[in-house]
Amino acid sequence: MNVLVRLSLFSKVLGCSVGCALALAACGGGGSAPSGTVMPEPGAGSSLAVPDLGAVVAQGAASPLPGGWMRGAFMQIYVRGYKDSDGDGKGDLKGLISQLDYLQDLGVQGLWLMPVTQSEDRDHGYAVKNYRNIETDYGSLSDMAQLLTQAHQRGMGVILDYVINHSSSQHPLFLNAASARLNPQRHYFVWQDTAPAGWSVWGQNPWYSSGNGYYYAPFWSGMPDFNWKNDQVKSFHHDNLRYWLNQGVDGFRFDAVGHLVENGPTAWESQPENHTIMGQVQDLLKSYDRRYMVCESPAAPQAFAAASSCGGAFAFDLKDPILRAARGDTTAIAAVSQYFRTAPAGMATFLANHDSFAGNRVWNQLSGNVAQYKMAAATYLLLPGTPFIYYGEEIGMANGAGLTGDWALRTPMSWTAQAAGFTSGVPFRALSANIASNHVQAQRGVDGSLHSFYKTMIGLRKRLPSLAQGDYSGAWAQGQAMGFQRSLGSERTMVLYNYGLNPQPVSLSGLAASSSWTAEYPVSTDVQVGSNGTLALTLPPQSVTVYRQRP
């Protein structure tokens, strides 16, 4: 049987059509062997060229970004859904470049791009087929280079979503590995000759038959897990990371780091080896200038934020308390006030993202209550850590009209009241349900709008370095109010919240005796602390107040 026929049959066995991607989400030959091609022994199966396999030598250059850039606000961008430049109805890199001035004006200092490399699904992008090239719908490597240049000129860093746990089942490495049990690339993935018993990941059996054994794929049959107990896998990924770092990429968001190593049917998440793996990745990034990494691990976010692991991770254990606090829940308010007393400073704060398991868009979760929305935003944007805004969050985009699951969260950006703000063609997916009222054109520059509020909060963070990089102290909660202090060098700020519907008197103690504090937000009266270090205030309903201690 020739290679083309064998691979066609193999694809049917795996069920790897694009349609399967809705559950979650090539070949070549002939002539001389190109780089990455495996030359197997007889009976060892396929030897497809692997375009993203091969050594890459570090070519580090000085970062054009200022120190501490990674403590500014990030925008998480789904490129397919952000801005279309060519009328095909799909967002692309050139479209994103055209909106960099908008992002700079908002105050954003970092961009996280959801996967932009070539993938089997050609949508969410987490079923990667080639780690070293751009999805054709999004543009080219030259477009990526232009994006990096233009972002850097505006003082913004760009980090890529890197899928470190699994690939597509159509990646040439996996096609080779699955073609025969003796294939030299077999052990890049996790295999058993017979079906393992006793496994259940999220209620499903994660083992699938290829006809040549069983492979492990907990997310979906079309996304097999790499075998991180094989040093070749480490080399493969480190080379691909160096490839992008050499291009000038400013770092990475690492997907699903809790699932890198499996040690048995009940030991498949957050294994100790995962932290060693990510610590080595962090060492690689530190060999370059001013790079940043952040990891996704919903089950153990603080463990992966440790300095010995990723050094930064998304605060999945904080987002829901913030949203409950915004509704006035006193237990949640107290929990939020205490979180950063013990949590690593490298936590990445957020309210929602591209995954439905993390919740709907903020607008839907708060039922369109703008006052609560602003309180939630003010909370995570002024706390320690690095805040990540999900595209459209700054204007209150709702879930996609008539959509469910992840697709409801990954809709075209609402630039204007109609689809024409996103594309001159037909949008690839339904628009946000509230696009008629909640769009950039209606909110930008308008006093009281969500967009203006986000711009103000981000501006505070940029103007007062203690809010972006300072320590966290003096946290307290009283009923529906809470507050804390941030300090960096000689600058000390005090942030106060009242999540309630009524004014709330608060009595603060432990402040510097007779110190004076300037009102930074909103414009209001400065305050003077008593000689005994106490201060009595009445906080307006659903308000945030920021003071800076005078030298």
Side-chain angles (χ1 to χ4, degrees):
M1 184 182 298
N2 67 41
V3 171
L4 289 174
V5 172
R6 181 168 62 248
L7 293 181
S8 175
L9 292 174
F10 179 60
S11 294
K12 293 177 181 179
V13 170
L14 294 181
C16 296
S17 68
V18 173
C20 288
L22 296 176
L24 267 186
C27 65
S32 60
S35 174
T37 298
V38 178
M39 301 304 295
E41 296 297 323
S46 298
S47 57
L48 300 177
V50 183
D52 46 4
L53 180 67
V56 176
V57 178
Q59 297 175 354
S63 170
L65 299 175
W69 71 269
M70 66 285 293
R71 296 306 176 200
F74 273 69
M75 183 69 73
Q76 178 191 349
I77 292 177
Y78 174 46
V79 171
R80 189 181 182 90
Y82 204 62
K83 181 69 174 178
D84 174 25
S85 72
D86 58 11
D88 68 353
K90 305 165 190 172
D92 47 52
L93 293 175
K94 288 181 178 178
L96 171 56
I97 292 170
S98 74
Q99 297 301 325
L100 290 179
D101 286 343
Y102 165 79
L103 293 163
Q104 182 183 26
D105 178 70
L106 184 62
V108 169
Q109 291 177 262
L111 309 179
W112 157 24
L113 308 187
M114 287 175 61
V116 294
T117 48
Q118 291 178 356
S119 69
E120 174 66 16
D121 55 86
R122 300 185 66 182
D123 190 331
H124 59 74
Y126 290 99
V128 181
K129 289 203 307 184
N130 184 347
Y131 282 85
R132 298 186 192 177
N133 211 341
I134 299 297
E135 182 62 65
T136 53
D137 286 343
Y138 298 161
S140 64
L141 287 170
S142 62
D143 293 331
M144 174 58 72
Q146 183 66 13
L147 172 63
L148 293 171
T149 297
Q150 294 292 327
H152 290 164
Q153 288 177 357
R154 292 164 174 80
M156 292 187 288
V158 179
I159 68 172
L160 303 184
D161 210 325
Y162 191 89
V163 187
I164 197 169
N165 177 70
H166 54 263
S167 75
S168 165
S169 60
Q170 297 301 292
H171 192 292
L173 264 182
F174 185 75
L175 291 174
N176 288 339
S179 66
R181 297 186 185 190
L182 296 180
N183 190 278
Q185 292 172 348
R186 181 77 163 184
H187 296 297
Y188 275 84
F189 299 89
V190 182
W191 293 92
Q192 294 288 337
D193 289 341
T194 58
W199 287 75
S200 178
V201 177
W202 307 303
Q204 301 292 325
N205 182 356
W207 293 92
Y208 297 88
S209 174
S210 72
N212 284 313
Y214 291 80
Y215 66 96
Y216 182 76
F219 288 98
W220 169 50
S221 62
M223 297 196 301
D225 268 30
F226 285 107
N227 174 19
W228 270 96
K229 294 182 178 181
N230 176 8
D231 284 342
Q232 290 175 300
V233 169
K234 172 183 172 181
S235 297
F236 172 78
H237 285 294
H238 283 209
D239 284 324
N240 285 325
L241 293 173
R242 278 189 289 267
Y243 173 83
W244 288 111
L245 292 168
N246 290 350
Q247 308 303 311
V249 167
D250 301 290
F252 303 94
R253 176 266 190 185
F254 289 98
D255 181 64
V257 298
H259 302 283
L260 300 179
V261 172
E262 300 77 36
N263 289 316
T266 61
W268 47 265
E269 187 169 51
S270 301
Q271 298 302 291
E273 298 95 326
N274 298 359
H275 298 289
T276 301
I277 291 167
M278 296 315 300
Q280 292 170 343
V281 169
Q282 187 182 171
D283 289 341
L284 188 158
L285 265 70
K286 285 179 178 178
S287 69
Y288 288 77
D289 187 34
R290 296 178 184 174
R291 300 309 206 264
Y292 171 65
M293 62 182 280
V294 61
C295 292
E296 180 211 31
S297 174
Q302 294 191 39
F304 281 95
S308 59
S309 185
C310 294
F314 287 99
F316 282 90
D317 52 349
L318 180 62
K319 66 178 185 65
D320 289 337
I322 289 177
L323 291 168
R324 292 198 302 270
R327 300 185 188 100
D329 184 316
T330 55
T331 300
I333 292 168
V336 172
S337 74
Q338 297 299 304
Y339 184 84
F340 277 104
R341 290 188 64 182
T342 57
M347 303 307 299
T349 56
F350 71 107
L351 298 179
N353 64 19
H354 61 288
D355 281 322
S356 56
F357 77 78
N360 287 320
R361 280 192 171 268
V362 179
W363 183 265
N364 294 78
Q365 293 194 59
L366 295 178
S367 303
N369 187 313
V370 175
Q372 293 179 355
Y373 203 123
K374 290 180 177 179
M375 292 304 298
T379 303
Y380 90 99
L381 289 172
L382 301 182
L383 279 169
T386 296
F388 280 76
I389 303 162
Y390 189 40
Y391 80 101
E393 178 191 312
E394 75 276 16
I395 55 170
M397 268 180 64
N399 284 10
L403 300 175
T404 59
D406 293 346
W407 313 132
L409 314 178
R410 307 173 189 177
T411 54
M413 175 69 177
S414 300
W415 295 106
T416 65
Q418 293 87 29
F422 167 71
T423 181
S424 60
V426 178
F428 71 97
R429 186 167 291 149
L431 306 175
S432 169
N434 65 357
I435 189 173
S437 57
N438 289 46
H439 54 85
V440 172
Q441 191 177 66
Q443 293 193 27
R444 191 175 183 182
V446 176
D447 289 344
S449 70
L450 272 174
H451 181 278
S452 293
F453 186 78
Y454 268 77
K455 183 175 179 178
T456 297
M457 291 297 106
I458 296 169
L460 275 173
R461 188 181 182 92
K462 294 181 71 175
R463 181 163 56 84
L464 299 171
S466 58
L467 293 177
Q469 303 183 54
D471 63 15
Y472 185 79
S473 63
W476 57 269
Q478 299 176 19
Q480 291 183 304
M482 80 167 202
F484 50 82
Q485 296 178 42
R486 309 286 307 278
S487 61
L488 183 68
S490 61
E491 182 180 278
R492 180 174 290 273
T493 49
M494 177 166 54
V495 184
L496 308 172
Y497 301 89
N498 177 10
Y499 298 96
L501 298 176
N502 301 303
Q504 180 159 340
V506 295
S507 179
L508 310 180
S509 60
L511 302 173
S514 303
S515 58
S516 298
W517 295 74
T518 299
E520 296 285 349
Y521 179 83
V523 177
S524 59
T525 306
D526 297 349
V527 295
Q528 183 80 29
V529 176
S531 59
N532 61 352
T534 63
L535 175 64
L537 293 172
T538 297
L539 303 179
Q542 292 183 307
S543 67
V544 56
T545 308
V546 180
Y547 292 101
R548 176 177 55 85
Q549 185 176 348
R550 293 178 188 165

